[in-house]
Amino acid sequence: VLSGGRMVLGVGVGHVPGEFEALGVPYGERGRLTDEYLQVMATLLEHEETSFEGKTIRFPMVRNLIQPVQRPRPPFLIGGTSRRAVRRAVDLGDGWLPAHLLPDQLGPGLEYLAEYASSQGKPAPPVSTVIVVGITEPGQSPPPGSRRMFRTVDETAQLISEFAAAGVVRLAVDVPNPNLAVTLRQYELLAEAVRLAET
């Protein structure tokens, strides 16, 4: 409601065993559990009344009082770079979300995505991705000691163009955010890079 129906849901199975230990969830079951949770979320969001009978989750007919703006529901973007993640994106999602890969690293995943989708009689879902980048001020060098990848506005524009050429339809950019002023300036520089990429 707050976004006017622009929300997407990024879902990954997780990869830090300690987080699962803290929650008392078997690490080796995370894929199966994620699949079931996706099915539960989809059925709750897509129907006003529904029931569910899964291996872990079961509930009788319930009325869902929260109806999404998007119909039938917000898109589920499935994160991960494994073949299982790609299959999950085709089987249960509305898009594939491989994070932290550069355009030239997407090839094998895109090929498998198209191959698996075709084997299931489906079109390949759209691809989104996430990158962590900082954009340097014109004429300045990146801050010393940062682990974040820094690029100029022109280099960022080139990167955006390369993602688009690879078939990426949505690019989320995690910019430096130590305070509001820095974050807002990063957004301005990013907007300039997008304008350059569109020309």
Side-chain angles (χ1 to χ4, degrees), residues 5-199:
R6 293 183 292 117
M7 189 183 95
V8 296
L9 178 65
V11 179
V13 298
H15 65 278
V16 181
E19 293 175 351
F20 290 84
E21 291 172 17
L23 295 171
V25 176
Y27 184 74
E29 293 289 306
R30 68 194 190 283
R32 184 187 64 76
L33 292 171
T34 298
D35 290 350
E36 193 164 327
Y37 295 160
L38 284 166
Q39 293 166 359
V40 168
M41 288 187 289
T43 194
L44 286 171
L45 291 169
E46 292 172 13
H47 303 95
E48 288 188 22
E49 291 188 340
T50 188
S51 61
F52 190 86
E53 187 73 24
K55 291 183 179 178
T56 306
I57 302 170
R58 298 173 191 85
F59 51 84
M61 189 64 69
V62 296
R63 176 176 285 277
N64 180 15
L65 300 178
I66 302 172
Q67 294 298 310
V69 173
Q70 293 122 307
R71 290 320 229 161
R73 58 174 168 71
F76 292 175
L77 306 185
I78 308 301
T81 56
S82 69
R83 286 184 163 227
R84 183 63 194 100
V86 170
R87 293 194 300 271
R88 183 174 290 114
V90 172
D91 295 338
L92 298 170
D94 305 294
W96 180 43
L97 181 65
H100 313 302
L101 294 181
L102 293 173
D104 61 353
Q105 298 170 317
L106 289 171
L110 292 171
E111 289 174 14
Y112 185 65
L113 181 70
E115 174 188 315
Y116 181 72
S118 176
S119 76
Q120 300 303 301
K122 297 180 176 182
V127 178
S128 304
T129 193
V130 179
I131 58 170
V132 178
V133 69
I135 306 171
T136 56
E137 289 284 352
Q140 294 185 13
S141 299
S146 176
R147 296 189 313 173
R148 182 182 293 268
M149 171 178 59
F150 273 84
R151 294 177 183 256
T152 66
V153 169
D154 287 340
E155 290 169 339
T156 305
Q158 179 62 32
L159 185 63
I160 293 168
S161 297
E162 290 170 6
F163 275 115
V168 172
V169 300
R170 182 184 289 112
L171 178 64
V173 183
D174 178 354
V175 297
N177 51 16
N179 58 57
L180 182 59
V182 168
T183 303
L184 291 176
R185 179 57 182 153
Q186 284 289 300
Y187 287 157
E188 290 172 354
L189 294 169
L190 180 59
E192 178 60 25
V194 170
R195 281 192 290 272
L196 287 173
E198 289 176 339
T199 60

